[in-house]
Amino acid sequence: YERADSGQGQRIDISMLDATVSFLGHQLAEYAATPKNEDAQFGPDFAPNGYFRAADGYLGLLLLPDHWVGFCEAIDRGEWTNEDHPYGTNASRLEHRETLHEDLEAVLNERTAEEWITHFGSYEATIPVADVNDIGELVDHPQVRAQEAVLEREHPGLGEYLTPNVVPKFSRTPGAIEEAPLLGDDTD
């Protein structure tokens, strides 16, 4: 429409990061108002999966049964793959999920998240792992700041809150987040 109105085009900036952050919506506000959920898991059908504490933060692991042997080799726990070990089969890992989680965190706490990701990347076996940013780390991430993906706003009755910025960003006709009227502001 801008080209038809002004005869000029414009640059459209739509990053995957901005789009992802925009899906947080109300979670940004909830993040500021409630404690984090550190018990989240990725599903009940296989173990281990979920968030695990490393020396400096968290790792997200999603290990299907086919990943188990390579993962155990990478963390130097080959004995965990023996069928008679409590972690030897997926069924037994599910049965001992809490103990497995504790034992894995003891191992993973030996290195930083970044060191583990680099270490796992050096193995031929696929080890699905990623570092985990909580919403606070996401909000403070340099790329999120540079993209202005999150806005800090002030509500007259509730105080400061966070909201995703407009996606996409247009160079000549940028969108804007406007405050909704307070209850009764528009009544006669």
Side-chain angles (χ1 to χ4, degrees):
Y1 295 119
E2 176 63 14
R3 184 173 170 190
D5 290 346
S6 70
Q8 295 181 332
Q10 60 183 322
R11 181 177 183 271
I12 301 172
D13 179 4
I14 181 163
S15 77
M16 289 184 358
L17 178 64
D18 285 359
T20 302
V21 169
S22 75
F23 285 114
L24 290 174
H26 68 279
Q27 287 93 343
L28 287 171
E30 290 173 8
Y31 159 75
T34 60
K36 298 176 199 80
N37 177 8
E38 295 181 2
D39 296 326
Q41 297 295 313
F42 301 143
D45 298 328
F46 46 87
N49 66 62
Y51 302 111
F52 296 84
R53 186 178 295 280
D56 66 339
Y58 285 89
L59 290 170
L61 289 172
L62 184 63
L63 297 174
L64 299 175
D66 293 346
H67 301 131
W68 184 242
V69 171
F71 177 74
C72 288
E73 289 173 5
I75 64 170
D76 197 27
R77 297 298 187 276
E79 70 277 8
W80 288 5
T81 65
N82 298 332
E83 284 196 26
D84 60 342
H85 191 280
Y87 308 150
T89 67
N90 187 57
S92 63
R93 287 191 298 278
L94 287 168
E95 183 180 335
H96 298 95
R97 183 187 295 258
E98 289 182 25
T99 307
L100 174 59
H101 193 98
E102 292 169 8
D103 288 347
L104 272 179
E105 283 196 334
V107 172
L108 296 173
N109 202 29
E110 296 172 2
R111 299 181 187 191
T112 67
E114 185 176 334
E115 289 170 340
W116 279 116
I117 289 170
T118 301
H119 177 71
F120 292 143
S122 69
Y123 278 79
E124 191 171 314
T126 300
I127 301 171
V129 62
D131 60 336
V132 177
N133 289 324
D134 64 27
I135 291 181
E137 292 167 327
L138 176 76
V139 167
D140 291 333
H141 193 279
Q143 187 63 30
V144 171
R145 293 254 181 223
Q147 285 291 113
E148 297 178 348
V150 175
L151 299 176
E152 296 177 12
R153 304 300 296 240
E154 184 75 28
H155 185 277
L158 301 174
E160 188 176 292
Y161 69 96
L162 302 174
T163 188
N165 202 350
V166 175
V167 178
K169 297 179 180 87
F170 295 89
S171 62
R172 292 182 34 80
T173 57
I177 303 287
E178 296 181 9
E179 298 299 329
L182 296 176
L183 184 62
D185 277 358
D186 290 338
T187 56
D188 294 331

